[in-house]
Amino acid sequence: MSDIKIDIKNALPEGLSSEINVDGAKALEILQSKSGAGNDFLGWLELPNEYSEADIADIEAAAASFKDCEYVVCIGIGGSYLGAKAVVEALSDSFAAFKVSAAPRILFAGQNIGEDYLFELQELLAGSKFGIIVISKSGTTTEPAIAFRLLKAQLEAQVGKAEAAKLIVAITDARRGALRQLATEEGYRTFVIADNVGGRFSVLSPVGLLPIAVAGFDIRALLKGASDMAVKTLADSAENPALTYAKARNALYRQGKKIEILVNYNPKLHFLAEWWKQLYGESEGKEHKGIFPASVDNSTDLHSMGQWIQDGERSIFETVITVEEQRHSLRIPSDDANLDGLNYIADRRIDEVNKMAELGTRIAHIDGGVPNLKISLPRIDEYNLGALLYFFEKGCGISGYMLGVNPFNQPGVEDYKRNMFALLRKPGYEAESEAIAKKL
Ligand code: PA5
């Protein structure tokens, strides 16, 4: 069973106020009985146990088909990008890009339309053996479509059309969208994103599993962690960490804490926070409601955002992810001259110092009026990350229902797309093009 723990004793100034219990159990029940808004997008609840041995073996086989590639470019945006990026970054050596690697190097594209980014990526890939995993649930998103058009053409030019088709895997809807049609016509290997799994809840589907497996990580352990967390988050009890998290953050929101800062003290978790921001931001930011999800990487950000958090407007609370056990052990050397004055911590683990930075900061922030939640992750490995991902997803579903929104749609994302298409004069957007021209 997963040992991820949540500690909320410093979350609410008066301890567990009665407010913390408002609606939590009801929201959990609505989510699990699939009776709430967006209930046609709850397939993620079962994803950890959805795949048969044959399904997993199929994903692993697809991953192995890239084994001779130096690079595999994962093309996607939002939920079709951030989950894989978060897990691969968390599990990878911090300097993997500069070290010899048995597995292909995972690169990402389609998450931006940076001309220099794409140019430099193409430069890197020129002459190298590379593969492509193109991911889009709708199959029509512009940013990944542009990146795929560029890299598909490059791959075909480098290895020929037939060989390129063997080095491309598409993950998309079973029937709909331009990517499905393209994949069928070009004969690509494909995986399906189920209709009932929304993008930002898709990390435990092939969307996340395939890139993570290509990077050389154990997707079975990831799913096992998620599966154990699914069991742990079923009951209406104080032992349900997702329910506790959802209750605490909603109680804080009601007390005027409008911004949640996810804090880490381990740079490997930077993209986990980016994934979390999308999950909570896109799920809850609706009808002019919702906690704004922000994040900091400490100690780095203690020297940039620390002043604001300590002393700025008191509209924030923090959720600190603490990693109990590190992968490696490193001690501070002693130095006879002690010119830097550090001998008082000589022979101590680096992590012990980091933990004191964490504890000292938490106490300072709590004293400064920043409510503080703590999530303890035993270590960064596949099993615990799987559990953490599911914990956050379940907490998000409960929290969204407590807030009174549909956590599973994203109507606001369409507005920028409509304007962009109007500005680019996409066929079918003539009226919008005319209307937007008047605003320029
Ligand atoms: O969570 C979501 O649904 C979105 O963030 C999508 O993942 C994102 O917009 C990408 O969409 P698609 O996979 O259809 O290209």
Side-chain angles (χ1 to χ4, degrees):
M1 195 52 75
S2 161
D3 271 338
I4 291 176
K5 291 187 190 71
I6 181 160
D7 173 356
I8 60 164
K9 66 175 179 292
N10 293 303
L12 294 164
E14 65 278 34
L16 289 181
S17 78
S18 58
E19 201 168 357
I20 196 162
N21 283 318
V22 176
D23 294 341
K26 195 164 136 218
L28 177 69
E29 201 277 319
I30 292 171
L31 180 67
Q32 291 182 167
S33 62
K34 302 190 175 175
S35 56
N39 58 1
D40 44 348
F41 281 97
L42 293 177
W44 58 271
L45 279 168
E46 281 92 37
L47 275 181
N49 299 307
E50 177 84 6
Y51 299 106
S52 65
E53 172 56 36
D55 294 329
I56 304 285
D58 202 21
I59 295 171
E60 289 171 339
S65 74
F66 290 114
K67 72 176 187 332
D68 295 330
C69 292
E70 190 175 351
Y71 303 105
V72 173
V73 188
C74 300
I75 298 178
I77 192 167
S80 294
Y81 154 62
L82 283 162
K85 177 78 175 169
V87 174
V88 170
E89 290 287 318
L91 294 173
S92 293
D93 185 297
S94 307
F95 300 97
F98 308 102
K99 293 183 181 175
V100 177
S101 161
R105 293 176 196 285
I106 307 295
L107 305 172
F108 292 88
Q111 82 281 31
N112 64 55
I113 334 176
E115 188 162 340
D116 289 346
Y117 184 94
L118 288 164
F119 183 92
E120 287 158 15
L121 175 62
Q122 289 207 283
E123 255 187 349
L124 175 73
L125 297 173
S128 298
K129 177 151 187 189
F130 74 96
I132 301 173
I133 302 172
V134 53
I135 309 170
S136 176
K137 183 176 181 195
S138 62
T140 57
T141 309
T142 309
E143 290 87 344
I146 292 169
F148 185 53
R149 183 181 274 217
L150 280 169
L151 297 186
K152 173 181 183 289
Q154 181 174 4
L155 187 57
E156 289 176 352
Q158 285 184 198
V159 299
K161 205 169 165 58
E163 193 55 29
K166 293 184 204 152
L167 291 168
I168 297 174
V169 175
I171 306 178
T172 188
D173 185 88
R175 293 168 298 279
R176 289 182 297 266
L179 181 58
R180 168 56 58 186
Q181 196 183 339
L182 195 156
T184 305
E185 283 182 18
E186 301 280 11
Y188 301 152
R189 183 172 197 155
T190 62
F191 289 91
V192 169
I193 311 174
D195 280 347
N196 63 359
V197 177
R200 59 189 172 278
F201 289 87
S202 68
V203 58
L204 300 169
S205 79
V207 170
L209 296 179
L210 181 59
I212 293 164
V214 174
F217 301 117
D218 182 354
I219 56 172
R220 291 166 192 263
L222 190 85
L223 288 169
K224 173 73 175 129
S227 170
D228 286 354
M229 184 54 78
V231 174
K232 202 170 169 175
T233 54
L234 282 173
D236 171 18
S237 91
E239 305 309 309
N240 180 336
L243 179 60
T244 303
Y245 179 50
K247 283 177 171 183
R249 62 198 300 284
N250 273 279
L252 287 162
Y253 182 62
R254 290 188 196 113
Q255 292 183 358
K257 304 299 180 191
K258 308 286 186 194
I259 300 166
E260 177 177 5
I261 304 175
L262 193 71
V263 184
N264 73 71
Y265 286 80
N266 188 320
K268 289 182 190 290
L269 296 181
H270 173 82
F271 277 95
L272 191 279
E274 297 302 311
W275 170 84
W276 170 89
K277 284 196 270 191
Q278 188 215 358
L279 182 67
Y280 280 78
E282 232 172 60
S283 299
E284 294 195 317
K286 285 160 200 168
E287 300 165 31
H288 298 177
K289 295 193 274 193
I291 296 168
F292 183 83
S295 65
V296 291
D297 300 323
N298 288 349
S299 278
T300 312
D301 287 331
L302 287 173
H303 295 258
S304 66
M305 296 304 292
Q307 170 63 35
W308 200 104
I309 295 170
Q310 186 67 49
D311 216 13
E313 191 182 273
R314 300 297 73 183
S315 52
I316 56 172
F317 68 97
E318 287 185 316
T319 298
V320 178
I321 302 183
T322 186
V323 182
E324 286 165 8
E325 196 183 291
Q326 306 309 304
R327 215 175 291 169
H328 304 288
S329 174
L330 188 62
R331 289 180 188 275
I332 295 167
S334 91
D335 183 322
D336 287 347
N338 195 27
L339 295 175
D340 54 13
L342 278 185
N343 270 357
Y344 79 104
I345 47 173
D347 295 329
R348 298 223 200 154
R349 291 270 307 269
I350 298 281
D351 191 50
E352 194 186 331
V353 180
N354 199 24
K355 291 285 194 301
M356 291 307 112
E358 178 183 319
L359 183 58
T361 306
R362 287 187 69 226
I363 292 169
H365 289 180
I366 293 162
D367 289 348
V370 181
N372 208 283
L373 282 70
K374 186 170 90 166
I375 295 167
S376 304
L377 187 69
R379 68 196 69 81
I380 299 180
D381 59 15
E382 288 92 332
Y383 177 83
N384 283 293
L385 281 177
L388 188 67
L389 294 169
Y390 195 91
F391 155 80
F392 275 132
E393 289 181 345
K394 189 78 179 269
C396 185
I398 303 167
S399 185
Y401 282 148
M402 288 184 76
L403 185 67
V405 298
N406 173 357
F408 306 111
N409 64 5
Q410 53 285 327
V413 181
E414 296 311 311
D415 292 2
Y416 98 89
K417 290 186 192 171
R418 197 171 41 249
N419 283 349
M420 183 170 109
F421 293 151
L423 290 166
L424 289 168
R425 302 198 164 273
K426 184 174 178 173
Y429 285 79
E430 290 74 12
E432 287 87 346
S433 294
E434 243 177 70
I436 207 164
K438 295 192 183 119
K439 295 187 187 173
L440 302 177

